[in-house]
PDB file of all heavy atoms in Angstrom:
ATOM      1  N   GLN A 102      45.493  36.307 -40.300  1.00  0.00           N
ATOM      2  CA  GLN A 102      44.247  35.550 -40.344  1.00  0.00           C
ATOM      3  C   GLN A 102      43.105  36.452 -40.795  1.00  0.00           C
ATOM      4  O   GLN A 102      42.712  37.366 -40.090  1.00  0.00           O
ATOM      5  CB  GLN A 102      43.933  34.947 -38.974  1.00  0.00           C
ATOM      6  CG  GLN A 102      44.975  33.958 -38.525  1.00  0.00           C
ATOM      7  CD  GLN A 102      44.740  33.440 -37.124  1.00  0.00           C
ATOM      8  OE1 GLN A 102      44.207  34.131 -36.280  1.00  0.00           O
ATOM      9  NE2 GLN A 102      45.154  32.217 -36.885  1.00  0.00           N
ATOM     10  N   VAL A 103      42.571  36.158 -41.983  1.00  0.00           N
ATOM     11  CA  VAL A 103      41.483  36.947 -42.536  1.00  0.00           C
ATOM     12  C   VAL A 103      40.141  36.429 -42.028  1.00  0.00           C
ATOM     13  O   VAL A 103      39.307  37.203 -41.566  1.00  0.00           O
ATOM     14  CB  VAL A 103      41.529  36.914 -44.086  1.00  0.00           C
ATOM     15  CG1 VAL A 103      40.352  37.653 -44.697  1.00  0.00           C
ATOM     16  CG2 VAL A 103      42.856  37.491 -44.574  1.00  0.00           C
ATOM     17  N   LEU A 104      39.942  35.133 -42.114  1.00  0.00           N
ATOM     18  CA  LEU A 104      38.724  34.476 -41.627  1.00  0.00           C
ATOM     19  C   LEU A 104      39.103  33.171 -40.939  1.00  0.00           C
ATOM     20  O   LEU A 104      39.976  32.455 -41.428  1.00  0.00           O
ATOM     21  CB  LEU A 104      37.794  34.113 -42.782  1.00  0.00           C
ATOM     22  CG  LEU A 104      36.935  35.184 -43.413  1.00  0.00           C
ATOM     23  CD1 LEU A 104      36.226  34.618 -44.631  1.00  0.00           C
ATOM     24  CD2 LEU A 104      35.918  35.713 -42.427  1.00  0.00           C
ATOM     25  N   VAL A 105      38.426  32.868 -39.846  1.00  0.00           N
ATOM     26  CA  VAL A 105      38.630  31.602 -39.151  1.00  0.00           C
ATOM     27  C   VAL A 105      37.257  31.096 -38.712  1.00  0.00           C
ATOM     28  O   VAL A 105      36.504  31.829 -38.073  1.00  0.00           O
ATOM     29  CB  VAL A 105      39.535  31.763 -37.895  1.00  0.00           C
ATOM     30  CG1 VAL A 105      39.705  30.430 -37.191  1.00  0.00           C
ATOM     31  CG2 VAL A 105      40.880  32.356 -38.261  1.00  0.00           C
ATOM     32  N   ARG A 106      36.946  29.867 -39.094  1.00  0.00           N
ATOM     33  CA  ARG A 106      35.690  29.249 -38.663  1.00  0.00           C
ATOM     34  C   ARG A 106      35.963  27.818 -38.246  1.00  0.00           C
ATOM     35  O   ARG A 106      36.738  27.116 -38.875  1.00  0.00           O
ATOM     36  CB  ARG A 106      34.663  29.241 -39.792  1.00  0.00           C
ATOM     37  CG  ARG A 106      34.229  30.619 -40.204  1.00  0.00           C
ATOM     38  CD  ARG A 106      32.737  30.715 -40.435  1.00  0.00           C
ATOM     39  NE  ARG A 106      32.396  32.085 -40.733  1.00  0.00           N
ATOM     40  CZ  ARG A 106      32.200  32.565 -41.960  1.00  0.00           C
ATOM     41  NH1 ARG A 106      32.290  31.768 -42.989  1.00  0.00           N
ATOM     42  NH2 ARG A 106      31.894  33.822 -42.142  1.00  0.00           N
ATOM     43  N   SER A 107      35.282  27.419 -37.165  1.00  0.00           N
ATOM     44  CA  SER A 107      35.403  26.046 -36.672  1.00  0.00           C
ATOM     45  C   SER A 107      34.032  25.414 -36.583  1.00  0.00           C
ATOM     46  O   SER A 107      33.046  26.099 -36.282  1.00  0.00           O
ATOM     47  CB  SER A 107      36.052  26.025 -35.289  1.00  0.00           C
ATOM     48  OG  SER A 107      37.386  26.472 -35.359  1.00  0.00           O
ATOM     49  N   VAL A 108      33.988  24.123 -36.845  1.00  0.00           N
ATOM     50  CA  VAL A 108      32.762  23.341 -36.693  1.00  0.00           C
ATOM     51  C   VAL A 108      33.125  22.025 -36.020  1.00  0.00           C
ATOM     52  O   VAL A 108      34.259  21.554 -36.112  1.00  0.00           O
ATOM     53  CB  VAL A 108      32.050  23.058 -38.040  1.00  0.00           C
ATOM     54  CG1 VAL A 108      31.563  24.337 -38.689  1.00  0.00           C
ATOM     55  CG2 VAL A 108      32.933  22.277 -38.980  1.00  0.00           C
ATOM     56  N   LYS A 109      32.131  21.455 -35.364  1.00  0.00           N
ATOM     57  CA  LYS A 109      32.322  20.151 -34.741  1.00  0.00           C
ATOM     58  C   LYS A 109      31.635  19.110 -35.612  1.00  0.00           C
ATOM     59  O   LYS A 109      30.446  19.225 -35.911  1.00  0.00           O
ATOM     60  CB  LYS A 109      31.742  20.142 -33.330  1.00  0.00           C
ATOM     61  CG  LYS A 109      32.126  18.944 -32.520  1.00  0.00           C
ATOM     62  CD  LYS A 109      31.709  19.111 -31.081  1.00  0.00           C
ATOM     63  CE  LYS A 109      32.319  18.039 -30.216  1.00  0.00           C
ATOM     64  NZ  LYS A 109      32.005  18.239 -28.801  1.00  0.00           N
ATOM     65  N   ALA A 110      32.384  18.119 -36.032  1.00  0.00           N
ATOM     66  CA  ALA A 110      31.848  17.037 -36.855  1.00  0.00           C
ATOM     67  C   ALA A 110      31.013  16.103 -35.991  1.00  0.00           C
ATOM     68  O   ALA A 110      31.194  16.047 -34.764  1.00  0.00           O
ATOM     69  CB  ALA A 110      32.998  16.272 -37.511  1.00  0.00           C
ATOM     70  N   PRO A 111      30.094  15.352 -36.598  1.00  0.00           N
ATOM     71  CA  PRO A 111      29.277  14.404 -35.836  1.00  0.00           C
ATOM     72  C   PRO A 111      30.098  13.413 -35.004  1.00  0.00           C
ATOM     73  O   PRO A 111      29.663  12.981 -33.942  1.00  0.00           O
ATOM     74  CB  PRO A 111      28.473  13.667 -36.919  1.00  0.00           C
ATOM     75  CG  PRO A 111      28.369  14.663 -38.034  1.00  0.00           C
ATOM     76  CD  PRO A 111      29.687  15.409 -38.005  1.00  0.00           C
ATOM     77  N   ASN A 112      31.317  13.086 -35.453  1.00  0.00           N
ATOM     78  CA  ASN A 112      32.140  12.138 -34.690  1.00  0.00           C
ATOM     79  C   ASN A 112      32.935  12.814 -33.569  1.00  0.00           C
ATOM     80  O   ASN A 112      33.719  12.187 -32.890  1.00  0.00           O
ATOM     81  CB  ASN A 112      33.080  11.373 -35.626  1.00  0.00           C
ATOM     82  CG  ASN A 112      34.217  12.224 -36.163  1.00  0.00           C
ATOM     83  OD1 ASN A 112      34.267  13.442 -35.961  1.00  0.00           O
ATOM     84  ND2 ASN A 112      35.135  11.587 -36.865  1.00  0.00           N
ATOM     85  N   GLY A 113      32.751  14.153 -33.402  1.00  0.00           N
ATOM     86  CA  GLY A 113      33.410  14.876 -32.320  1.00  0.00           C
ATOM     87  C   GLY A 113      34.667  15.629 -32.715  1.00  0.00           C
ATOM     88  O   GLY A 113      35.179  16.440 -31.944  1.00  0.00           O
ATOM     89  N   ALA A 114      35.196  15.377 -33.909  1.00  0.00           N
ATOM     90  CA  ALA A 114      36.388  16.096 -34.368  1.00  0.00           C
ATOM     91  C   ALA A 114      36.042  17.573 -34.553  1.00  0.00           C
ATOM     92  O   ALA A 114      34.946  17.912 -34.989  1.00  0.00           O
ATOM     93  CB  ALA A 114      36.891  15.517 -35.686  1.00  0.00           C
ATOM     94  N   VAL A 115      36.976  18.435 -34.187  1.00  0.00           N
ATOM     95  CA  VAL A 115      36.795  19.868 -34.400  1.00  0.00           C
ATOM     96  C   VAL A 115      37.609  20.257 -35.624  1.00  0.00           C
ATOM     97  O   VAL A 115      38.821  20.046 -35.664  1.00  0.00           O
ATOM     98  CB  VAL A 115      37.234  20.685 -33.166  1.00  0.00           C
ATOM     99  CG1 VAL A 115      37.122  22.175 -33.445  1.00  0.00           C
ATOM    100  CG2 VAL A 115      36.394  20.300 -31.957  1.00  0.00           C
ATOM    101  N   ILE A 116      36.927  20.815 -36.601  1.00  0.00           N
ATOM    102  CA  ILE A 116      37.543  21.187 -37.874  1.00  0.00           C
ATOM    103  C   ILE A 116      37.618  22.707 -37.936  1.00  0.00           C
ATOM    104  O   ILE A 116      36.629  23.394 -37.698  1.00  0.00           O
ATOM    105  CB  ILE A 116      36.709  20.657 -39.060  1.00  0.00           C
ATOM    106  CG1 ILE A 116      36.575  19.144 -38.960  1.00  0.00           C
ATOM    107  CG2 ILE A 116      37.325  21.094 -40.383  1.00  0.00           C
ATOM    108  CD1 ILE A 116      35.461  18.575 -39.808  1.00  0.00           C
ATOM    109  N   THR A 117      38.788  23.222 -38.262  1.00  0.00           N
ATOM    110  CA  THR A 117      38.981  24.662 -38.389  1.00  0.00           C
ATOM    111  C   THR A 117      39.472  24.968 -39.790  1.00  0.00           C
ATOM    112  O   THR A 117      40.444  24.368 -40.256  1.00  0.00           O
ATOM    113  CB  THR A 117      39.997  25.186 -37.357  1.00  0.00           C
ATOM    114  OG1 THR A 117      39.532  24.863 -36.040  1.00  0.00           O
ATOM    115  CG2 THR A 117      40.185  26.689 -37.465  1.00  0.00           C
ATOM    116  N   ALA A 118      38.782  25.891 -40.437  1.00  0.00           N
ATOM    117  CA  ALA A 118      39.201  26.375 -41.751  1.00  0.00           C
ATOM    118  C   ALA A 118      39.598  27.835 -41.584  1.00  0.00           C
ATOM    119  O   ALA A 118      38.971  28.576 -40.823  1.00  0.00           O
ATOM    120  CB  ALA A 118      38.081  26.233 -42.768  1.00  0.00           C
ATOM    121  N   GLN A 119      40.644  28.224 -42.279  1.00  0.00           N
ATOM    122  CA  GLN A 119      41.127  29.600 -42.196  1.00  0.00           C
ATOM    123  C   GLN A 119      41.445  30.127 -43.583  1.00  0.00           C
ATOM    124  O   GLN A 119      41.876  29.377 -44.451  1.00  0.00           O
ATOM    125  CB  GLN A 119      42.432  29.667 -41.401  1.00  0.00           C
ATOM    126  CG  GLN A 119      42.362  29.180 -39.999  1.00  0.00           C
ATOM    127  CD  GLN A 119      43.741  29.246 -39.372  1.00  0.00           C
ATOM    128  OE1 GLN A 119      44.395  30.280 -39.388  1.00  0.00           O
ATOM    129  NE2 GLN A 119      44.187  28.129 -38.823  1.00  0.00           N
ATOM    130  N   ILE A 120      41.267  31.417 -43.736  1.00  0.00           N
ATOM    131  CA  ILE A 120      41.821  32.142 -44.866  1.00  0.00           C
ATOM    132  C   ILE A 120      42.951  32.967 -44.277  1.00  0.00           C
ATOM    133  O   ILE A 120      42.751  33.724 -43.328  1.00  0.00           O
ATOM    134  CB  ILE A 120      40.778  33.059 -45.552  1.00  0.00           C
ATOM    135  CG1 ILE A 120      39.584  32.242 -46.046  1.00  0.00           C
ATOM    136  CG2 ILE A 120      41.436  33.858 -46.675  1.00  0.00           C
ATOM    137  CD1 ILE A 120      39.903  31.223 -47.126  1.00  0.00           C
ATOM    138  N   ARG A 121      44.153  32.757 -44.784  1.00  0.00           N
ATOM    139  CA  ARG A 121      45.339  33.460 -44.284  1.00  0.00           C
ATOM    140  C   ARG A 121      45.866  34.379 -45.383  1.00  0.00           C
ATOM    141  O   ARG A 121      45.580  34.180 -46.560  1.00  0.00           O
ATOM    142  CB  ARG A 121      46.447  32.466 -43.897  1.00  0.00           C
ATOM    143  CG  ARG A 121      46.083  31.413 -42.856  1.00  0.00           C
ATOM    144  CD  ARG A 121      45.966  31.934 -41.446  1.00  0.00           C
ATOM    145  NE  ARG A 121      47.148  32.473 -40.865  1.00  0.00           N
ATOM    146  CZ  ARG A 121      47.951  31.830 -40.013  1.00  0.00           C
ATOM    147  NH1 ARG A 121      47.699  30.592 -39.644  1.00  0.00           N
ATOM    148  NH2 ARG A 121      49.006  32.440 -39.514  1.00  0.00           N
ATOM    149  N   LYS A 122      46.654  35.353 -44.977  1.00  0.00           N
ATOM    150  CA  LYS A 122      47.211  36.318 -45.916  1.00  0.00           C
ATOM    151  C   LYS A 122      48.727  36.365 -45.773  1.00  0.00           C
ATOM    152  O   LYS A 122      49.251  36.555 -44.681  1.00  0.00           O
ATOM    153  CB  LYS A 122      46.611  37.707 -45.653  1.00  0.00           C
ATOM    154  CG  LYS A 122      47.122  38.778 -46.583  1.00  0.00           C
ATOM    155  CD  LYS A 122      46.393  40.105 -46.457  1.00  0.00           C
ATOM    156  CE  LYS A 122      46.294  40.584 -45.050  1.00  0.00           C
ATOM    157  NZ  LYS A 122      45.772  41.954 -44.946  1.00  0.00           N
ATOM    158  N   ARG A 123      49.398  36.203 -46.896  1.00  0.00           N
ATOM    159  CA  ARG A 123      50.853  36.349 -46.928  1.00  0.00           C
ATOM    160  C   ARG A 123      51.207  37.826 -46.851  1.00  0.00           C
ATOM    161  O   ARG A 123      50.359  38.693 -47.034  1.00  0.00           O
ATOM    162  CB  ARG A 123      51.418  35.757 -48.218  1.00  0.00           C
ATOM    163  CG  ARG A 123      51.275  34.256 -48.313  1.00  0.00           C
ATOM    164  CD  ARG A 123      51.900  33.751 -49.628  1.00  0.00           C
ATOM    165  NE  ARG A 123      51.794  32.322 -49.729  1.00  0.00           N
ATOM    166  CZ  ARG A 123      50.770  31.679 -50.319  1.00  0.00           C
ATOM    167  NH1 ARG A 123      49.797  32.344 -50.877  1.00  0.00           N
ATOM    168  NH2 ARG A 123      50.750  30.367 -50.348  1.00  0.00           N
ATOM    169  N   GLU A 124      52.481  38.122 -46.641  1.00  0.00           N
ATOM    170  CA  GLU A 124      52.898  39.527 -46.537  1.00  0.00           C
ATOM    171  C   GLU A 124      52.702  40.283 -47.837  1.00  0.00           C
ATOM    172  O   GLU A 124      52.582  41.502 -47.836  1.00  0.00           O
ATOM    173  CB  GLU A 124      54.351  39.647 -46.047  1.00  0.00           C
ATOM    174  CG  GLU A 124      55.405  39.341 -47.085  1.00  0.00           C
ATOM    175  CD  GLU A 124      55.598  37.859 -47.362  1.00  0.00           C
ATOM    176  OE1 GLU A 124      55.110  37.015 -46.579  1.00  0.00           O
ATOM    177  OE2 GLU A 124      56.238  37.531 -48.367  1.00  0.00           O
ATOM    178  N   ASP A 125      52.612  39.577 -48.976  1.00  0.00           N
ATOM    179  CA  ASP A 125      52.376  40.244 -50.261  1.00  0.00           C
ATOM    180  C   ASP A 125      50.883  40.438 -50.545  1.00  0.00           C
ATOM    181  O   ASP A 125      50.503  40.917 -51.610  1.00  0.00           O
ATOM    182  CB  ASP A 125      53.040  39.475 -51.404  1.00  0.00           C
ATOM    183  CG  ASP A 125      52.465  38.070 -51.597  1.00  0.00           C
ATOM    184  OD1 ASP A 125      51.515  37.674 -50.873  1.00  0.00           O
ATOM    185  OD2 ASP A 125      52.976  37.354 -52.482  1.00  0.00           O
ATOM    186  N   GLY A 126      50.037  40.055 -49.576  1.00  0.00           N
ATOM    187  CA  GLY A 126      48.593  40.224 -49.716  1.00  0.00           C
ATOM    188  C   GLY A 126      47.878  39.035 -50.324  1.00  0.00           C
ATOM    189  O   GLY A 126      46.648  38.995 -50.362  1.00  0.00           O
ATOM    190  N   GLU A 127      48.616  38.042 -50.805  1.00  0.00           N
ATOM    191  CA  GLU A 127      48.021  36.855 -51.413  1.00  0.00           C
ATOM    192  C   GLU A 127      47.278  36.040 -50.350  1.00  0.00           C
ATOM    193  O   GLU A 127      47.793  35.809 -49.254  1.00  0.00           O
ATOM    194  CB  GLU A 127      49.130  36.008 -52.048  1.00  0.00           C
ATOM    195  CG  GLU A 127      48.648  34.951 -52.987  1.00  0.00           C
ATOM    196  CD  GLU A 127      48.109  35.507 -54.295  1.00  0.00           C
ATOM    197  OE1 GLU A 127      48.528  36.604 -54.711  1.00  0.00           O
ATOM    198  OE2 GLU A 127      47.249  34.835 -54.877  1.00  0.00           O
ATOM    199  N   LEU A 128      46.060  35.609 -50.675  1.00  0.00           N
ATOM    200  CA  LEU A 128      45.252  34.813 -49.747  1.00  0.00           C
ATOM    201  C   LEU A 128      45.390  33.331 -50.051  1.00  0.00           C
ATOM    202  O   LEU A 128      45.571  32.936 -51.204  1.00  0.00           O
ATOM    203  CB  LEU A 128      43.779  35.208 -49.858  1.00  0.00           C
ATOM    204  CG  LEU A 128      43.423  36.657 -49.536  1.00  0.00           C
ATOM    205  CD1 LEU A 128      41.930  36.895 -49.751  1.00  0.00           C
ATOM    206  CD2 LEU A 128      43.823  37.023 -48.127  1.00  0.00           C
ATOM    207  N   PHE A 129      45.299  32.500 -49.008  1.00  0.00           N
ATOM    208  CA  PHE A 129      45.292  31.053 -49.171  1.00  0.00           C
ATOM    209  C   PHE A 129      44.484  30.447 -48.041  1.00  0.00           C
ATOM    210  O   PHE A 129      44.231  31.078 -47.027  1.00  0.00           O
ATOM    211  CB  PHE A 129      46.717  30.478 -49.218  1.00  0.00           C
ATOM    212  CG  PHE A 129      47.499  30.630 -47.946  1.00  0.00           C
ATOM    213  CD1 PHE A 129      47.626  29.562 -47.053  1.00  0.00           C
ATOM    214  CD2 PHE A 129      48.129  31.830 -47.625  1.00  0.00           C
ATOM    215  CE1 PHE A 129      48.362  29.696 -45.886  1.00  0.00           C
ATOM    216  CE2 PHE A 129      48.867  31.970 -46.458  1.00  0.00           C
ATOM    217  CZ  PHE A 129      48.975  30.904 -45.588  1.00  0.00           C
ATOM    218  N   SER A 130      44.043  29.203 -48.221  1.00  0.00           N
ATOM    219  CA  SER A 130      43.228  28.553 -47.197  1.00  0.00           C
ATOM    220  C   SER A 130      44.019  27.460 -46.499  1.00  0.00           C
ATOM    221  O   SER A 130      44.952  26.884 -47.059  1.00  0.00           O
ATOM    222  CB  SER A 130      41.949  27.970 -47.810  1.00  0.00           C
ATOM    223  OG  SER A 130      42.250  27.005 -48.791  1.00  0.00           O
ATOM    224  N   VAL A 131      43.605  27.199 -45.257  1.00  0.00           N
ATOM    225  CA  VAL A 131      44.240  26.187 -44.420  1.00  0.00           C
ATOM    226  C   VAL A 131      43.135  25.415 -43.705  1.00  0.00           C
ATOM    227  O   VAL A 131      42.178  26.013 -43.210  1.00  0.00           O
ATOM    228  CB  VAL A 131      45.147  26.845 -43.351  1.00  0.00           C
ATOM    229  CG1 VAL A 131      45.735  25.810 -42.424  1.00  0.00           C
ATOM    230  CG2 VAL A 131      46.237  27.670 -43.988  1.00  0.00           C
ATOM    231  N   LEU A 132      43.274  24.122 -43.657  1.00  0.00           N
ATOM    232  CA  LEU A 132      42.370  23.265 -42.890  1.00  0.00           C
ATOM    233  C   LEU A 132      43.157  22.585 -41.784  1.00  0.00           C
ATOM    234  O   LEU A 132      44.272  22.119 -42.010  1.00  0.00           O
ATOM    235  CB  LEU A 132      41.785  22.160 -43.774  1.00  0.00           C
ATOM    236  CG  LEU A 132      40.490  22.425 -44.501  1.00  0.00           C
ATOM    237  CD1 LEU A 132      40.138  21.233 -45.384  1.00  0.00           C
ATOM    238  CD2 LEU A 132      39.361  22.746 -43.569  1.00  0.00           C
TER     239      LEU A 132
END
Side-chain angles (χ1 to χ4, degrees):
Q102 297 175 329
V103 176
L104 282 174
V105 179
R106 295 223 176 99
S107 294
V108 296
K109 191 171 191 176
N112 72 353
V115 176
I116 302 163
T117 302
Q119 300 177 53
I120 301 296
R121 303 287 297 260
K122 180 172 50 171
R123 293 181 179 92
E124 76 283 346
D125 63 2
E127 194 71 27
L128 299 178
F129 65 100
S130 61
V131 176
L132 270 177

